[in-house]
Amino acid sequence: MSLYTDPKACAAELLCDRYARDALAYRIVGTDLEATDITYGHLREESEKFAAALADLGVGPGDRVATLMGKSLEYLVALVGIWRLGAVHVPIFTAFAPAGVSFRLIRSQAKVVVCDESQQKKLLPGDDMPADGGWKIVTTASERAGIPGSLRFSELMAAHAPGRTAARLGGDAPIIQIYTSGTTGTPKGVLVPTKALAGFRAYAEFGLGLRPDDLYWCAADPGWAYGLYFGILGSLTTGTPSLLLTAGFDAASTFEVLSRYGVTNFAAAPTVYRAMRAFEGPRSKITKLRHASSAGEPLTPEVNLWAGDALGVAVHDHYGQTEAGMLINNHHHPDLAAPLKPGSMGVPLPGWSALVLKEAEDVPAPDGELGRVAIELKDSPLAWFNGYIDDAQKSAEKFAGNGRWYLTGDAGRRDDEGYYHFSSRDDDVIIMAGYRIGPFEIESIVVTHPAVSECAVIAVPDTTRGEVLECFVVLRSGEKPSAQTVKSIQDWVKTRYAAHAYPRQVHFVDSLPKTPSGKVQRFVLRQRRRDELGTLATGTR
C-alpha cells in the first residue's frame, strides 16, 4: 500500500518504468487478427516522446487531457504519456455522440483531446460542439485526413525525443477524471488518485487471479471504468502480459482470438458472454483458458449453464463501481477461491469491508434481509473516493453514519455464509403487496427460458398492489411473439421463483435500452411504460 501512497509516488514508474525493458506489455491484435508485441521498453520511450509533445502544447501537471480513441498502440502511448507528465486523463467512450463528448470536454476543462481519425468529425463545431472550446485537437489521422486546426499524432511523435523525466506527484495526485455512466441521472465526475492503483492491483491479483505467466484479455472498452481500471491499469499494475484487440466486438472473432493466442485469463461484460452463447456459427476450440470473469452488470445464470462446455471454465461474477473499483467478487486466487453460488456476486475483496444496511435505517440488516449494500470505511484501507466533482449534494448522498459508510446505491442481501447477492439499483426495487422484489432476481429466471435472449423487469403502478411486475423480452432467433409464449414465460417464473412474482404483462421488443457500456436502463422502460399508461388512462390514444 505504501508504494502507492508515498508522497513521491510516480504513476509512470508504477505502471511502466519499473518493469524490465524487454518484458512483454501488450500483444496488440489488429482487425486482421494478426498480432504485434509491445515491450515495456518501447512503451516507455514512446510515452516519453508524447509527454514531451504535450508539454510543448502547454500541458502541465494537473491539466486535463481527454482521449476519444479506440484500442491501439497510440492509445496506450497517450495514456502513459499523460501520466508521465503528471496530467489527468479524461476517458471518452467512442460510442458517444457529440453532445456526450462535449459534456465531458467542457466539464473537465480539457486542454487537449486526442482522437482517432474515425472520431474526429465529432469534434467539428455544431449544435452540440462549441467552436471555441479552448482545447487543442491531436488526431491519429493522416496528413490529408485531419480536420482543420488539428495536430498530427505522428508528427508530434517524430518531433520529440525520449528521455523526459516522469513527474512524482504522490499518492493523492489525480490520474483520471472519469464520469459515471448516467444510468440513474446526469453523469457525475469522479477523480481517481494514484493511490487507487493499490485497489486495482488487489483486484487484478485476487479477483482475476492474474499470474506472471498469463496472457490476460479484458474485452471491456477502456472508455468506461472497468475497461480502463482493469483492462489497462490492472495489467500495468501487475506487469502481466495483456492482449488488446483493436477491432470491435464480434463473437466469432472472440472465439478465434481466445483460441489462436492461448488467452489464459479473460474478462468481459455479461453481454459478451451472452452474445457468444447465442453464436451459432463455427467456433474455434478454446483449450488454455484458466479463468473467466464478468463485471459491469449482474451475471445471469444461463451463462454458466453454457460456459463449462464452451469455455472449459465457469464464469465468475464480480461487482464494483466507478467510484471504488471492484468490491465484491467470486475470487479466482487459489487462496480465496470458493464454490460459486448461482446469482451471487461473491464476497468482499481483501482491503474492503462490506455490509448490508437496513432500507430506512442506518444500522446493519440481518443476513437474508434485502437492504442497501454499503462499505465500512474504517475497515477498508483501499477506499479512495471522497465525493463527486462540484456536486456536494450527490456526494453527501453517497455516505451515511456521519461518514462511516459508503453507500453503493445498490440493493442486495448477504446470506448466512457471507455471500452477497445483488438485487437492483436502489430505485429499481419493486414493492408489490408488501413484498420487496429485486428485478434482477426475476430477470435471472426469465433469461433461462428457452425462448428468451434478454429481458428487463420493471415496476408499473397498480391500484391494488401498489406496483406489479412487467417484463420486456428480446426473443432468441427463430422465436415468434405469441400469447402462448407470454403464458409460458409467466408460468416459468411462477414455478421457478414464486407464484406472486410473475410478470403481469410481457412486452416483446427488438432490443433493450442500454448505456454505451451495455447496462440496461430500466428507468427508460419505466418512464416509457408510465407514459403509455397515462395516455391510455386519459383516453387520448
Side-chain angles (χ1 to χ4, degrees), residues 86 129 139 153 180 330:
M129 183 63 63
T139 176
F153 187 96
T180 61
N330 289 288

Side-chain angles (χ1 to χ4, degrees), residues 218-442:
C218 176
D221 194 287
W224 292 100
Y226 189 81
L228 177 57
Y229 293 178
F230 306 111
I232 304 297
L233 293 172
S235 57
L236 294 180
T237 57
T238 60
T240 304
S242 186
L243 186 145
L244 198 70
L245 178 64
T246 62
F249 172 74
D250 171 80
S253 296
T254 302
F255 280 112
E256 172 64 19
V257 170
L258 287 168
S259 174
R260 181 188 301 190
Y261 292 103
V263 172
T264 59
N265 201 310
F266 181 59
T271 50
V272 168
Y273 292 106
R274 289 196 288 265
M276 293 173 69
R277 172 178 174 260
F279 179 66
E280 297 177 350
R283 64 191 190 204
S284 303
K285 187 172 179 58
I286 297 168
T287 59
K288 293 188 178 181
L289 191 62
R290 189 168 56 84
H291 294 322
S293 306
S294 173
E297 60 173 311
L299 183 71
T300 43
E302 84 284 1
V303 170
N304 272 332
L305 295 175
W306 157 87
D309 289 335
L311 303 179
V313 296
V315 181
H316 287 215
D317 195 12
H318 295 168
Y319 168 82
Q321 298 199 313
T322 301
E323 298 92 335
M326 304 309 286
L327 299 169
I328 298 171
N329 313 294
N330 289 288
H331 300 99
H332 284 293
H333 192 283
D335 292 343
L336 299 173
L340 296 181
K341 281 191 175 184
S344 170
M345 55 194 183
V347 300
L349 178 72
W352 294 96
S353 176
L355 74 160
V356 175
L357 295 173
K358 285 181 172 288
E359 178 194 358
E361 190 178 0
D362 289 340
V363 297
D367 287 342
E369 181 177 309
L370 193 63
R372 297 170 292 158
V373 179
I375 297 297
E376 179 78 64
L377 291 174
K378 68 180 179 63
D379 296 325
S380 300
L382 294 180
W384 49 266
F385 175 75
N386 56 19
Y388 298 111
I389 301 170
D390 299 327
D391 197 331
Q393 179 179 343
K394 290 295 183 183
S395 297
E397 292 172 359
K398 293 298 290 182
F399 299 94
N402 294 318
R404 177 179 176 181
W405 296 299
Y406 165 77
L407 304 176
T408 65
D410 291 326
R413 59 183 174 84
R414 183 178 64 189
D415 66 26
D416 57 7
E417 293 183 299
Y419 284 73
Y420 285 75
H421 300 257
F422 177 88
S423 175
S424 69
R425 296 290 305 176
D426 275 350
D427 55 3
D428 284 338
V429 172
I430 301 163
I431 304 177
M432 186 178 71
Y435 293 100
R436 290 174 53 81
I437 303 167
F440 173 65
E441 295 174 288
I442 310 303

Side-chain angles (χ1 to χ4, degrees), residues 50-282:
F50 191 66
L54 287 176
D56 281 353
L57 294 179
V59 177
D63 288 333
R64 273 53 175 170
V65 179
T67 59
L68 182 59
M69 306 175 75
K71 304 168 186 177
S72 65
L73 173 59
E74 291 84 359
Y75 175 73
L76 293 173
V77 168
L79 292 194
V80 181
I82 290 167
W83 295 324
R84 186 174 298 283
L85 188 61
V88 180
H89 172 228
V90 181
I92 304 179
F93 186 42
T94 54
F96 281 140
V101 175
S102 64
F103 173 90
R104 286 156 177 79
L105 291 175
I106 293 169
R107 289 292 185 97
S108 67
Q109 299 181 359
K111 279 195 170 183
V112 173
V113 54
V114 189
C115 69
D116 287 334
E117 180 177 342
S118 61
Q119 296 293 318
Q120 59 185 2
K121 289 183 179 179
K122 296 177 182 178
L123 300 171
L124 290 170
D127 292 341
D128 296 316
M129 183 63 63
D132 55 350
W135 47 78
K136 295 181 175 69
I137 299 171
V138 175
T139 176
T140 61
S142 63
E143 182 176 351
R144 288 175 292 180
I147 61 175
S150 63
L151 302 165
R152 308 303 192 279
F153 187 96
S154 58
E155 292 178 359
L156 289 175
M157 295 293 288
H160 293 84
R164 184 178 181 86
T165 301
R168 293 183 172 276
L169 303 181
D172 290 327
I175 55 173
I176 297 167
Q177 182 166 327
I178 191 169
Y179 287 83
T180 61
S181 63
T183 306
T184 57
T186 302
K188 301 175 286 294
V190 175
L191 276 182
V192 181
T194 301
K195 64 185 178 184
L197 295 174
F200 299 167
R201 179 174 178 175
Y203 170 68
E205 294 183 347
F206 298 125
L208 296 170
L210 292 186
R211 300 190 318 207
D213 60 344
D214 269 332
L215 179 61
Y216 167 57
W217 181 19
C218 176
D221 194 287
W224 292 100
Y226 189 81
L228 177 57
Y229 293 178
F230 306 111
I232 304 297
L233 293 172
S235 57
L236 294 180
T237 57
T238 60
T240 304
S242 186
L243 186 145
L244 198 70
L245 178 64
T246 62
F249 172 74
D250 171 80
S253 296
T254 302
F255 280 112
E256 172 64 19
V257 170
L258 287 168
S259 174
R260 181 188 301 190
Y261 292 103
V263 172
T264 59
N265 201 310
F266 181 59
T271 50
V272 168
Y273 292 106
R274 289 196 288 265
M276 293 173 69
R277 172 178 174 260
F279 179 66
E280 297 177 350

